[in-house]
Amino acid sequence: MSDPLPTGAKTIDAAPGVSRRALMAAGAVAGASALAPGALVPGRAVALTLSPDEARFLAVSRAVTGRQDLNPLIGTRLFAAMVRTFPNYGARIAALSRLAVAGGKPEEILARAEEANQRQTMLDLVAAWYTGSVQDRTNAPMVAYRDALMYRPTDDALPVPTYCFGTPGWWTEVPPALGVAVLSPVPVPAPAPPPVGVEAKPPAQSRILPTKPPAKEH
């Protein structure tokens, strides 16, 4: 798989690193319970029980992406797809976990991964979360589409392709002020006052003349 992301260390988000204690706890706990908000049914949370390998994969993913809010359900699906795609993937993640457990920002983990010949493993993992697919090729199977990380930087102003923020033609509306998300409630102007009523008068009618009695014969 070719590098779908730039390979320089500065291209990975420099979010705060994961602590050694947090990573070890997440990777070592077997059968860890997690919540995947809105993973299957919008507005509902799905309880998951992660295997030790899945828990390690999720902990490493959070470390190398610098994001602690990764969806555990998507993580289990990505891990299953990566295992089917890359030989000995469990051993690769275990090796990357040993590098990530030292903590630090993603670019610091990348530097250690390069020294340990695990650079491509880390890039493949980051690419999977950002693209929602485990392979960089046409018609590659998608594990996640709308929840791919590449859409997060603009999710307050641009919808995910094929999705819509509102009714058809929503883009013709006046955009919100700078710093206000598109989905924020827009103030509704006060309705116009009702028109002043006009008294209706019946139309003028012709005067009805009284009927004359018939003349008497003499």
Side-chain angles (χ1 to χ4, degrees):
M1 177 177 177
S2 60
D3 294 350
L5 300 177
T7 56
K10 294 182 180 179
T11 61
I12 298 179
D13 289 346
V18 180
S19 68
R20 178 186 180 93
R21 178 179 299 177
L23 186 63
M24 292 181 66
V29 175
S33 295
L35 290 178
L40 294 178
V41 181
R44 297 183 60 184
V46 180
L48 292 179
T49 299
L50 304 182
S51 69
D53 289 340
E54 291 170 340
R56 181 187 299 113
F57 177 83
L58 184 60
V60 173
S61 296
R62 287 170 173 167
V64 300
T65 61
R67 297 182 180 273
Q68 300 305 302
D69 57 347
L70 298 181
N71 190 316
L73 180 58
I74 294 178
T76 61
R77 293 174 175 174
L78 277 178
F79 178 68
M82 301 288 269
V83 168
R84 290 193 300 267
T85 303
F86 300 102
N88 302 320
Y89 192 71
R92 298 186 185 189
I93 285 296
L96 193 57
S97 177
R98 290 190 291 271
L99 299 173
V101 76
K105 297 180 179 180
E107 58 264 35
E108 296 171 339
I109 301 175
L110 180 62
R112 295 196 295 269
E114 189 164 6
E115 295 176 356
N117 198 28
Q118 293 296 329
R119 177 177 181 274
Q120 192 60 47
T121 300
M122 178 171 170
L123 292 180
D124 289 340
L125 178 56
V126 173
W129 280 100
Y130 271 84
T131 64
S133 178
V134 298
Q135 291 178 299
D136 180 23
R137 63 177 178 83
T138 304
N139 298 325
M142 295 297 297
V143 177
Y145 177 69
R146 185 181 182 280
D147 295 313
L149 295 184
M150 62 180 174
Y151 296 121
R152 286 197 182 181
T154 58
D155 62 359
D156 63 335
L158 294 176
V160 175
T162 74
Y163 284 78
C164 184
F165 273 148
T167 58
W170 64 270
W171 56 85
T172 62
E173 300 175 359
V174 178
L178 186 64
V180 178
V182 174
L183 296 179
S184 298
V186 178
V188 179
V196 178
V198 178
E199 182 181 358
K201 296 181 179 181
Q205 297 181 355
S206 301
R207 181 171 176 269
I208 300 176
L209 299 176
T211 304
K212 293 182 178 181
K216 295 181 179 181
E217 296 181 358
H218 297 283

